[in-house]
Amino acid sequence: MSQIIDGKFVSETMKASIAKEVQDLIATGQRAPHLVAILVGNNGASETYVANKVKSCEELGFTSTLLRFDPSITETDLLAAVQGVNDNPDMDGLIVQLPLPDHINPDKVMETIHPSKDVDGFHPINIGRMAKGLPAYISATPQGVLDLLAYYNIQTAGKHCVVVGRSQIVGLPMSILMQRNHPQGNCTVTLTHSRTPNLEEICAQGDIVIAALGKPEFIKAAHIKEGAVVIDVGLTRVEDASKKSGFALKGDVDFADVAPKCSYITPVPKGVGPMTIVSLMKNTLLAAKGTIYPKN
């Protein structure tokens, strides 16, 4: 019988710890951590994501600022707005919600964010520092996965970890993190993707399988060996007439098919998802304290 990894419970536990640390900062005369979010246009999913981040800031005692821009904003003006946050010492962390309009180069925007305020962990300097094992802001979703593994005391050293998906936001950093010399690491890692032949056979060798490919219920029981740990990072809206909303949230793993074979498995929702925002909050707290990049 597999054990469910309850990301909602773990995230609430972590939020309580972060909130206490914020209270302690304020009690010593320091200001609350300040997270800035930039939202361009009115993409529905982006609106929801940003609203959840602002709500989490309120819950934890952070200060938050939302900068909204019309989708017609020029790349030059958006970069100037980013630089304005870089230059403001009272703003600790900055996220620019993706996707951006087609006329704006997202890589250029991410590279303009100062590494010390890049709490999403997308800047090349933070990615490079992470790869070298130096202190860095780690992308929120991979960090959330590490925190779940730690909370449930899931042993990773010497295990074969198969990562399915090579995105720069999840799959690639996840593969780097799982092989590093760290309590949640020391795995032999295989990074697979859409061009990988014999994907089912390779996945079935994994002691730990991390699915992050964005294809709902792609991973079946045949992909998983008995006793494996399965981490489902996928989150896709699928039409479902039985739901009041008209859709259901599905992960990359066919939960009903796979769960009986696992030792541990994350559900969707309430698995990795809640950990992503709390990881972002943790990075913002680190930024406010100057833990990764000392304050000037």
Side-chain angles (χ1 to χ4, degrees):
M1 193 69 182
S2 61
Q3 181 170 350
I4 304 299
I5 297 175
D6 189 343
K8 184 170 176 54
F9 173 78
V10 177
S11 70
E12 291 300 326
T13 301
M14 291 180 62
K15 281 183 178 180
S17 176
I18 293 171
K20 174 64 167 60
E21 203 164 340
V22 172
Q23 291 171 3
D24 291 344
L25 281 176
I26 294 171
T28 59
Q30 300 179 67
R31 60 172 176 78
H34 188 170
L35 177 64
V36 180
I38 288 180
L39 180 60
V40 180
N42 51 8
N43 177 282
S46 294
E47 292 272 3
T48 300
Y49 294 145
V50 170
N52 287 337
K53 290 165 186 174
V54 170
K55 180 181 177 183
S56 291
C57 284
E58 293 172 356
E59 292 173 349
L60 301 182
F62 286 31
T63 300
S64 66
T65 298
L66 174 57
L67 302 177
R68 288 179 171 271
F69 296 102
D70 189 87
S72 63
I73 187 173
T74 65
E75 182 176 271
T76 299
D77 287 345
L78 181 59
L79 295 178
V82 169
Q83 191 59 50
V85 177
N86 287 341
D87 295 339
N88 190 328
D90 292 328
M91 293 176 169
D92 301 303
L94 170 61
I95 59 172
V96 178
Q97 188 63 46
L98 302 177
L100 292 168
D102 291 341
H103 66 280
I104 297 175
N105 183 339
D107 289 332
K108 196 169 183 180
V109 173
M110 295 304 157
E111 290 178 21
T112 300
I113 299 173
H114 195 278
S116 66
K117 300 195 178 190
D118 168 44
V119 289
D120 259 334
F122 294 162
H123 194 284
I125 287 179
N126 278 314
I127 294 172
R129 288 175 66 90
M130 175 198 69
K132 286 181 63 66
L134 298 172
Y137 299 127
I138 296 173
S139 299
T141 299
Q143 180 62 59
V145 172
L146 297 182
D147 288 335
L148 288 176
L149 294 172
Y151 187 89
Y152 281 86
N153 196 30
I154 294 172
Q155 300 303 304
T156 59
K159 304 296 184 181
H160 182 190
C161 176
V162 177
V163 180
V164 188
R166 56 181 170 182
S167 75
Q168 294 184 30
I169 294 174
V170 181
L172 180 60
M174 200 78 254
S175 68
I176 295 170
L177 292 165
M178 293 303 292
Q179 58 78 39
R180 65 180 178 162
N181 186 9
H182 186 271
Q184 285 71 56
N186 285 312
C187 288
T188 297
V189 178
T190 302
L191 177 60
T192 67
H193 47 79
S194 59
R195 301 292 181 89
T196 301
N198 305 319
L199 181 60
E200 182 179 300
E201 178 185 340
I202 294 171
C203 285
Q205 298 171 21
D207 302 302
I208 302 169
V209 176
I210 302 174
L213 66 162
K215 293 185 177 181
E217 300 188 325
F218 179 87
I219 301 295
K220 305 291 185 182
H223 290 83
I224 304 299
K225 75 175 184 180
E226 290 288 342
V229 175
V230 175
I231 306 294
D232 189 353
V233 179
L235 186 65
T236 304
R237 289 186 178 189
V238 177
E239 289 185 8
D240 187 339
S242 69
K243 302 287 187 181
K244 185 177 179 180
S245 62
F247 65 87
L249 296 175
K250 297 289 185 181
D252 290 345
V253 176
D254 186 335
F255 186 90
D257 195 38
V258 169
K261 298 182 74 172
C262 303
S263 56
Y264 292 87
I265 186 170
T266 59
V268 174
K270 301 181 181 179
V272 175
M275 299 298 295
T276 297
I277 290 182
V278 77
S279 298
L280 176 67
M281 298 297 113
K282 185 164 72 171
N283 279 348
T284 304
L285 177 59
L286 291 173
K289 294 166 62 178
T291 303
I292 307 294
Y293 297 93
K295 296 284 190 180
N296 293 329

